[in-house]
Structures are given as C-alpha cells and as structure tokens.
Amino acid sequence: WVATQCANGGENCAPKGCCAAPGHQCFTKSPWYSKCKPSCRPGEKDYPADAAWECKAVGMRTPDHFEGQHEATAGQVSKWVASRCSAIGENCLDTQCCHAVGHQCYAKNEFWAACKPDCSTEPEDEDDPNSTWTCDTLGPRSWGLAIKGYPSLYCATLFMPSSYEGPLLKKQLEMNAGIFACDGYDVFAADPYTLGKSVDGVEVRANLIPKINVGVSQDGTAGNAKLFMAVWDKVIAANRFRNFDFTIKVDSDAVLIPWRIRDHTRVHIGRSAYVVNCNKFPSSPNFPMMYGA
C-alpha cells in the first residue's frame, strides 16, 4: 500500500504523512509545504534566494526495503557514485561500479573489466584469442547518476554569450537554478565563455561548436537545424547522456523546474520515449513538432 497511498517526489507529503520512495522521510519546509527527501538539514536552502527548510519530520521514514518488496531496481544515489565509479570505456576492475544507466561492470580477464549493458562470452574477433570475455559480474548494475533526484536528468543548452543569454545563464548558475539543478548538464556556444563556478566548486565553461549561419524556416522562425545538429554531435560524442534517465534540450531563457519534469517523465522510465512539447502551430504541416524547449 505504501507505493499507492504515500506521497511521491515533489508532492506535499504532510497530508499523507508518509513517502512512497524507499529510504525517504517527509520533512517540512514551512507550515504550508513539505516534501519527501532522503535527508534534511535545518536551515538548508534549495538555492540561495529560497526560504530555508525547517526540517521537521512528519510520520516515519519509509524503510529501504519493506516486507514483500523486491530489491529496488533504481532510485537516487549518493554523490560519491559520480566520483568513484567508472565511465564507459574505463577499467572498472577496481571500482566495480558504473556511471551509465543500466550498465554492469563485466570482467574480460584478470586485468580488464568494462561497463556494458550486457556481455557475451563469444569471441568478438575470431582471429584474436584475447577478444573473449569471461563476463563475470563485478558489483551491482548501475542506477545511473541520479544524485539530485529520480529519475535523473541530463540537461543541455545552446546559448549566445554576446546576447542577454550569457548573463542570464550566469545568474542561473549563481542560483543553482534551471539546468544547473539537473543531475548533469552541459552548455554549448560558438564562442569561448566562462559562466562561473557551480555550488560544487566546478568551473562551468561553454563547450565549443562550429560557427554556423542561421537562416529563416518556413514558419518564420530561426532555421537552426544544422546548428543544433552540431550540438547533438557533441552530446553524443561525449557520451555523458548515457549516465542519466532522460536527456532534455533546454532554451537558455526557458523556465526549467527539474522536480516537476521528474514527475512527468516518471511514467516513461526504462522506455525509449520522445516528448513532443509544442502545440503552438497546429496548422503547420510539421505538427506536432519540437519548438523551443
């Protein structure tokens, strides 16, 4: 009954007095708002300008595994996973844990192991005896880098540093808002630009893409398909998106509230899904379409 009758992520949990997610406790931020969280420290803020949490516990903490429940297959993870576990292409023999969602550390031999979605003991190259894998599993299968919430979000934006978008993104970074509240993020631009340091002390710089001329599309908006193709080429080449459940392309001036998006995408977890988010031009021959963010 816990999963159906208790509060989910982002929901005001005080009226129900319990949390659906294993290991979560209902904490109050104020007399009017509460939320299920793994932990809460009185006085903490979601971002600098926000009101502080009072962190009064409501009800009891949901056990990590309650009677009749199978072992959890996914959820939020600790921050150490990002720094200690292995990325795709790295040797995970010592770490025995992976960044990428659904990946498992598989051993090839006593010297090498890698994070892969699956493994076969059949030779990868019949002419190379060293291409055979033992496929011994090391550690657990990865839940990905859901370090801020579940499901995890990877958010990417393209911006023009010389326009209002540069200062706007700087302010978002300062407030730990917008894409910087996602579990993972990247910013792209055609010119070098440094936004500043994140709340974790990481310097955020623009990933450079080629300069591409932008024309006008058939509906009178920016004809920037090639520009965004260059961005997606960078996203795919970096392979970071595989560490998260969902990838979101965000306009730099869009209002993005990650916990709301998590609630909307939760029903699509584990599925290949594309969210068409614009119904502004129903008369367009391309309707429905992707437009903006």
Side-chain angles (χ1 to χ4, degrees):
W1 61 269
V2 174
T4 57
Q5 297 184 29
C6 293
N8 289 297
E11 185 179 353
N12 190 8
C13 56
K16 294 184 176 179
C18 60
C19 300
H24 281 51
Q25 168 74 57
C26 179
F27 291 104
T28 60
K29 183 175 186 178
S30 69
W32 305 278
Y33 181 71
S34 56
K35 181 181 175 181
C36 291
K37 295 154 59 86
S39 61
C40 192
R41 188 176 65 255
E44 70 180 17
K45 297 182 178 181
D46 294 329
Y47 53 88
D50 193 22
W53 282 77
E54 59 183 24
C55 294
K56 292 181 180 178
V58 179
M60 64 173 289
R61 179 180 294 276
T62 303
D64 285 332
H65 302 292
F66 46 83
E67 186 178 355
Q69 181 197 32
H70 296 295
E71 183 178 352
T73 56
Q76 191 169 349
V77 301
S78 299
K79 290 184 178 180
W80 63 260
V81 176
S83 58
R84 299 184 192 175
C85 295
S86 301
I88 294 173
E90 295 179 344
N91 190 347
C92 59
L93 198 64
D94 293 328
T95 65
Q96 298 191 11
C97 59
C98 302
H99 287 168
V101 174
H103 280 48
Q104 170 74 55
C105 180
Y106 289 106
K108 180 176 184 179
N109 50 43
E110 59 181 313
F111 307 107
W112 180 262
C115 294
K116 302 162 49 155
D118 49 49
C119 189
S120 173
T121 56
E122 294 296 318
E124 294 179 329
D125 183 350
E126 293 183 358
D127 297 325
D128 180 8
N130 292 321
S131 66
T132 301
W133 288 68
T134 65
C135 291
D136 292 336
T137 57
L138 305 175
R141 187 171 290 275
S142 175
W143 292 2
L145 297 184
I147 56 177
K148 297 180 181 178
Y150 180 76
S152 55
L153 308 176
Y154 168 74
C155 301
T157 191
L158 170 68
F159 73 106
M160 295 178 61
S162 60
S163 73
Y164 71 93
E165 295 175 336
L168 180 60
L169 279 177
K170 274 191 170 184
K171 191 62 178 179
Q172 291 181 36
L173 178 63
E174 179 186 325
M175 298 178 66
N176 194 34
I179 71 167
F180 306 108
C182 296
D183 302 270
Y185 55 82
D186 277 309
V187 294
F188 298 88
D191 298 300
Y193 196 77
T194 300
L195 292 174
K197 288 190 176 180
S198 69
V199 292
D200 300 321
V202 177
E203 189 170 62
V204 180
R205 297 180 179 179
N207 295 286
L208 295 180
I209 63 167
K211 293 180 183 291
I212 297 172
N213 291 328
V214 175
V216 179
S217 68
Q218 64 186 35
D219 56 14
T221 58
N224 51 15
K226 289 186 177 180
L227 191 65
F228 281 101
M229 286 170 67
V231 172
W232 287 117
D233 285 343
K234 289 280 187 177
V235 169
I236 293 170
N239 230 8
R240 289 189 64 227
F241 74 96
R242 298 190 186 279
N243 301 337
F244 309 93
D245 294 296
F246 295 98
T247 298
I248 307 174
K249 174 264 176 186
V250 186
D251 279 359
S252 57
D253 55 0
V255 176
L256 179 75
I257 306 175
W259 68 264
R260 289 282 293 159
I261 293 179
R262 288 191 177 97
D263 284 346
H264 285 295
T265 56
R266 204 178 304 275
V267 296
H268 302 295
I269 293 172
R271 297 163 51 194
S272 296
Y274 172 75
V275 179
V276 177
N277 66 334
C278 180
N279 59 359
K280 186 175 181 180
F281 302 106
S283 61
S284 169
N286 297 322
F287 181 84
M289 59 199 292
M290 182 180 79
Y291 180 84

